[in-house]
Amino acid sequence: PPHTASTVLANWIMGIFEPEEYYSFMVNTKGRPVLQNGVEIPISKTIVTKTHYLDLLALYKRFRKEFDEVFFVVSNRGTDPETRIDYDFCEYNNVLCIEYDDLVYSNNIELELMVQKLTRMFQDRFEYFFGANSPLLDMEKQKNAVQRLKEMDEVTRSMADQTFD
């Protein structure tokens, strides 16, 4: 859902799976186009795609045939239904729900610890697919995620400093 630190979540997971790729976003309009760097692409061209569309069953049915499996990693915040996904979805084997508080960091040490924790949560939840000794826990992949999040923070800071006339 929006306003749940989902950009942090998306950049962490992209750092693990495709650290050099542009951010992909599925637009919440008819047809659900996927945009990457402003260009529409087939969803099959990306491993990680962010969306605010929350009908996970519809997304799964639509895209399952294009992938070995479809996973959903969802961020939740507070108690407002606009910033939470239905808890029942969190029980599905292919869904990992992460609370907003698990996505907050204020320095590099906390950032690294957050990446380690999220990666462990991902590995534990999806072990049935990736296996117990998955390379997801490889420190290089986690370093990629930390670097990507640092770059995201830098872009965010530079945008905050800009004036818009």
Side-chain angles (χ1 to χ4, degrees):
H3 312 295
T4 61
S6 55
T7 301
V8 171
L9 189 64
N11 277 288
W12 155 70
I13 203 165
M14 287 189 74
I16 297 292
F17 284 103
E18 47 187 2
E20 300 301 321
E21 293 298 322
Y22 288 110
Y23 197 84
S24 299
F25 186 81
M26 180 184 295
V27 182
N28 197 7
T29 61
K30 187 176 181 181
R32 313 261 178 262
V34 175
L35 301 178
Q36 189 177 65
N37 202 28
V39 176
E40 188 171 339
I41 63 165
I43 197 165
S44 60
K45 297 291 183 196
T46 181
I47 296 171
V48 178
T49 302
K50 179 180 172 179
T51 186
H52 291 150
Y53 184 66
L54 299 179
D55 188 345
L56 302 187
L57 289 175
L59 291 172
Y60 186 84
K61 289 175 185 176
R62 180 171 175 190
F63 297 114
R64 175 60 176 96
K65 62 186 173 284
E66 297 185 44
F67 300 95
D68 293 334
E69 180 58 283
V70 176
F71 299 99
F72 298 97
V73 182
V74 180
S75 54
N76 284 317
R77 183 175 189 176
T79 58
D80 184 338
E82 296 293 316
T83 60
R84 297 197 69 77
I85 195 161
D86 186 318
Y87 180 77
D88 290 343
F89 283 116
C90 298
E91 296 298 309
Y92 288 27
N93 287 342
N94 66 329
V95 178
L96 172 61
C97 293
I98 298 176
E99 291 299 320
Y100 172 82
D101 290 343
D102 290 328
L103 300 169
V104 177
Y105 56 91
S106 59
N107 59 53
N108 287 338
I109 293 171
E110 289 178 6
L111 171 59
E112 290 175 15
L113 292 172
M114 180 197 74
V115 166
Q116 290 172 12
K117 180 178 181 179
L118 294 176
T119 305
R120 173 53 62 196
M121 291 168 72
F122 187 95
Q123 174 64 37
D124 290 348
R125 184 65 174 176
F126 303 128
E127 181 179 340
Y128 76 92
F129 185 83
F130 292 102
N133 297 315
S134 170
L136 291 175
L137 298 177
D138 178 274
M139 288 308 295
E140 195 62 35
K141 291 186 179 294
Q142 292 184 49
K143 285 180 187 176
N144 291 341
V146 168
Q147 184 58 38
R148 187 170 179 105
L149 287 162
K150 285 180 179 179
E151 290 169 4
M152 177 198 75
D153 289 340
E154 184 58 37
V155 168
T156 302
R157 277 190 294 279
S158 69
M159 289 174 63
D161 293 340
Q162 293 179 3
T163 59
F164 296 95
D165 296 324

